[in-house]
């Protein structure tokens, strides 16, 4: 039983892979927090009656004061930078993860829950409590033995499972809310038409492609089946190998389709960062460090730190 | 533990959403061909409709937030208050604001028939 749990809930991975995932997710977080801070500050100036707390902030009767929002946003940007470089990771990373959770939850507590931030927040929380600073971290030397192990792989597997579960829940929601009609009827066609029409009425950017395609009703049942197939097929990544790569490609294409037909951007999966826990991303670091290694300052490939990089 | 937490929303109704543990209900509603859109509509002195920016309606740059603000105001019975707030923030070209719910035939709309099939005005305010 323990072996079965370990094979599904963990995997063997080198410390460098987990570290590169930390850097990539952290880099995304820096950009995200920097841009999103303006929205969070706007929200903190809204009338209090519009505040409708959700999740971890469900207990808060009023919103954060705007001064607190400014302070927390600034700390979050600094925390995200520290997260990337792995500085005092065991303390700073959990603090940043909690800050990110608070700020995004607060941002979703104004009568409209978005679904573009969930995976980032959960991924940062997982990484923050993992040994993701074992390599490529300021002030820490990589372990001498870079053999893949469960010590570094469990966090990657849990991140992957979180992605799998999110997509499966989204697929199930369509079948639970829309029934079989979601697959075979006009539900997706109406959904795309509704979304574009609403954007036009509200003065937002809509998709001319989606608006044009609405006239071709026969197109939508196959698209609906493909969408739900991608979402419910997410567990295929757990089979590894080609299954994993194929699903990642299909999920990415699915989000490109959503962007093209509804002008809705899911930046975390579109950028690919949502899927990096599933991929051998340490090869990216190898590419960066290979020229310097080739210069021949040291034959020890795995012994790298950011501060001590050659 | 994390895996169980993230999977827990599957037992909730898709409409019972939260953050970050979500039921991911986006795009899942069985939308009929006739759909409802609530918005804040501005009008100039000639009675022409003017699209109001999300900053004016919802206080942020997010259109979806602005739409949520209108729906929230209608549900909570504070449409009059929102109407006055929007009018105060709108540019001087806007002489009237309506908080409205409109029903459209979404397929007909993209076939050229853009008029709503039904229109409910929850609040109207003028300068």
């Amino acid at each position: 039983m323990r072996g079965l749990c370990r094979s599904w809930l963990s995997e063997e991975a080198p410390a460098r892979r987990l570290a590169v995932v930390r850097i990539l997710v952290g880099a995304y977080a820096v950009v995200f927090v920097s841009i999103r801070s303006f929205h969070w500050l706007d929200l903190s100036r809204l009338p209090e009656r519009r505040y409708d707390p959700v999740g971890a902030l469900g207990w808060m009767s009023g919103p954060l004061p705007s001064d607190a929002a400014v302070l927390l946003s600034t700390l979050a940007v600094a925390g995200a930078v520290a997260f990337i470089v792995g500085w005092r990771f065991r303390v700073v990373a959990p603090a940043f993860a909690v800050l990110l959770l608070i700020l995004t939850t607060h941002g979703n507590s104004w009568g409209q829950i978005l679904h573009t931030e969930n995976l980032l927040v959960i991924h940062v929380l997982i990484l923050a409590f993992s040994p993701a600073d074992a390599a490529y971290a300021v002030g820490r030397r990589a372990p001498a033995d870079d053999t893949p192990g469960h010590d570094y792989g469990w966090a990657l597997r849990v991140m992957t499972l979180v992605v799998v579960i999110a997509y499966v829940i989204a697929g199930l929601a369509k079948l639970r809310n829309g029934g079989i009609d979601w697959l075979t009827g006009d539900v997706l066609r109406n959904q795309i038409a509704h979304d574009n029409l609403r954007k036009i009425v509200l003065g937002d950017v809509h998709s001319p492609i989606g608006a044009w395609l609405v006239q071709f009703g026969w197109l939508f049942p196959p698209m609906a089946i493909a969408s739900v197939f991608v979402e419910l097929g997410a567990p295929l990544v757990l089979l590894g190998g080609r299954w994993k790569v194929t699903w990642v490609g299909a999920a990415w294409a699915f989000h490109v389709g959503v962007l093209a037909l509804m002008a809705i951007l899911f930046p975390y999966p579109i950028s690919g960062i949502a899927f990096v826990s599933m991929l051998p991303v340490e090869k990216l670091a190898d590419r960066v460090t290979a020229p310097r290694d080739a210069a021949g300052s040291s034959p020890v490939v795995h012994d790298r730190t950011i501060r001590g990089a050659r | 533990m994390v895996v169980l937490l993230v999977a827990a929303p599957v037992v909730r109704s898709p409409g019972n959403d939260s953050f970050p543990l979500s039921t991911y209900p986006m795009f899942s509603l069985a939308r009929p061909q006739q759909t409802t859109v609530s918005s804040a509509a501005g009008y100039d002195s000639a009675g022409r409709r003017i699209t109001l920016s999300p900053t004016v309606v919802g206080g942020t740059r997010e259109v979806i937030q602005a739409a949520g603000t209108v729906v929230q105001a209608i549900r909570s019975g504070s449409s009059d208050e929102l109407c006055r707030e929007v009018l105060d923030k709108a540019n001087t070209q806007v002489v009237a604001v309506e908080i409205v719910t409109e029903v459209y035939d979404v397929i007909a709309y993209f076939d050229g028939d853009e008029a709503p099939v039904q229109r409910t005005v929850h609040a109207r305010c003028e300068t």
Side-chain angles (χ1 to χ4, degrees):
Chain A
M1 185 65 187
R2 194 179 165 196
L4 188 67
C5 272
R6 181 165 250 210
S7 68
W8 281 94
L9 293 175
S10 184
E11 64 189 38
E12 293 190 332
R16 291 186 303 119
R17 183 179 301 172
L18 183 59
V20 173
V21 168
R22 180 201 83 227
I23 292 167
L24 291 172
V25 172
Y28 180 93
V30 167
V31 175
F32 168 79
V33 172
S34 302
I35 294 171
R36 206 63 178 154
S37 290
F38 295 101
H39 175 64
W40 294 332
L41 298 183
D42 283 345
L43 289 174
S44 66
R45 297 187 193 108
L46 291 180
E48 192 173 325
R49 66 183 159 74
R50 293 200 203 162
Y51 182 67
D52 182 14
V54 297
L57 299 185
W59 56 273
M60 273 176 66
S61 56
L64 290 170
S66 56
D67 288 348
V70 171
L71 177 65
L72 294 183
S73 297
T74 308
L75 286 174
V77 174
V81 172
F83 186 92
I84 294 176
V85 299
W87 182 70
R88 300 195 175 181
F89 191 78
R90 304 296 161 91
V91 176
V92 173
F96 165 61
V98 171
L99 254 182
L100 185 64
L101 175 65
I102 291 171
L103 285 166
T104 50
T105 305
H106 189 258
N108 280 285
S109 294
W110 299 86
Q112 189 68 51
I113 297 177
L114 304 177
H115 300 95
T116 51
E117 301 164 351
N118 309 55
L119 288 177
L120 169 68
V121 172
I122 298 170
H123 279 176
V124 168
L125 280 164
I126 294 165
L127 285 167
F129 292 95
S130 77
D133 61 334
Y136 307 125
V138 169
R140 288 199 64 182
R141 295 190 72 79
D145 180 8
D146 198 36
T147 308
H150 286 279
D151 286 350
Y152 308 111
W154 69 263
L156 297 170
R157 178 53 73 100
V158 174
M159 287 173 74
T160 297
L161 285 169
V162 164
V163 173
V164 168
I165 291 167
Y167 279 85
V168 169
I169 290 178
L172 289 175
K174 289 178 179 66
L175 298 182
R176 287 168 74 187
N177 268 345
I180 202 70
D181 256 9
W182 208 97
L183 298 174
T184 58
D186 283 333
V187 176
L188 181 60
R189 181 191 191 195
N190 292 343
Q191 184 76 52
I192 289 171
H194 162 85
D195 195 77
N196 283 305
L197 185 152
R198 189 178 70 150
K199 287 187 164 99
I200 292 168
V201 171
L202 297 174
D204 198 5
V205 176
H206 76 286
S207 161
I209 302 171
W212 178 70
L213 284 179
V214 160
Q215 61 185 305
F216 306 110
W218 56 271
L219 266 176
F220 293 90
M223 276 201 272
I225 291 168
S227 302
V228 172
F229 189 77
V230 169
E231 290 180 330
L232 295 182
L236 289 173
V237 301
L238 303 176
L239 297 176
R242 285 182 183 172
W243 288 105
K244 184 163 66 177
V245 175
T246 303
W247 185 84
V248 168
W252 185 81
F254 164 79
H255 285 288
V256 171
V258 171
L259 178 63
L261 296 181
M262 291 194 271
I264 296 175
L265 176 65
F266 282 82
Y268 197 52
I270 285 265
S271 66
I273 304 298
F275 310 118
V276 290
S277 65
M278 306 172 191
L279 304 169
V281 286
E282 68 276 17
K283 289 178 183 172
L284 293 173
D286 293 343
R287 283 190 187 177
V288 172
T289 56
R292 282 181 274 180
D293 289 342
S297 62
S298 168
V300 184
V301 175
H302 54 71
D303 187 10
R304 299 183 179 101
T305 68
I306 286 179
R307 194 165 58 183
R310 289 161 287 252
Chain B
M1 179 70 174
V2 175
V3 172
L4 289 176
L5 274 174
V6 174
V10 80
V11 299
R12 298 203 306 253
S13 158
N16 185 12
D17 199 10
S18 188
F19 182 88
L21 304 176
S22 176
T23 55
Y24 297 101
M26 63 281 191
F27 321 134
S28 70
L29 290 176
R31 292 200 183 278
Q33 192 165 327
Q34 288 202 340
T35 194
T36 302
V37 182
S38 295
S39 64
Y43 295 91
D44 66 12
S45 56
R48 286 186 294 256
R49 187 165 176 163
I50 297 171
T51 302
L52 302 169
S53 77
T55 313
V56 168
V57 179
T60 77
R61 297 168 188 84
E62 292 271 349
V63 170
I64 201 164
Q65 184 69 45
T69 300
V70 174
V71 171
Q72 197 181 34
I74 293 168
R75 281 188 188 149
S76 65
S78 57
S79 299
D80 288 320
E81 219 172 335
L82 178 65
C83 189
R84 183 52 58 184
E85 274 177 29
V86 171
L87 185 61
D88 289 345
K89 282 190 278 183
N91 66 43
T92 51
Q93 196 188 354
V94 177
V95 299
V97 168
E98 287 179 350
I99 305 299
V100 294
T101 297
E102 294 166 315
V103 179
Y104 291 90
D105 180 320
V106 290
I107 305 302
Y109 183 92
F110 288 109
D111 205 27
D113 183 6
E114 296 182 0
V117 295
Q118 190 184 319
R119 193 166 192 272
T120 305
V121 180
H122 302 279
R124 180 180 172 87
C125 48
E126 298 172 4
T127 51

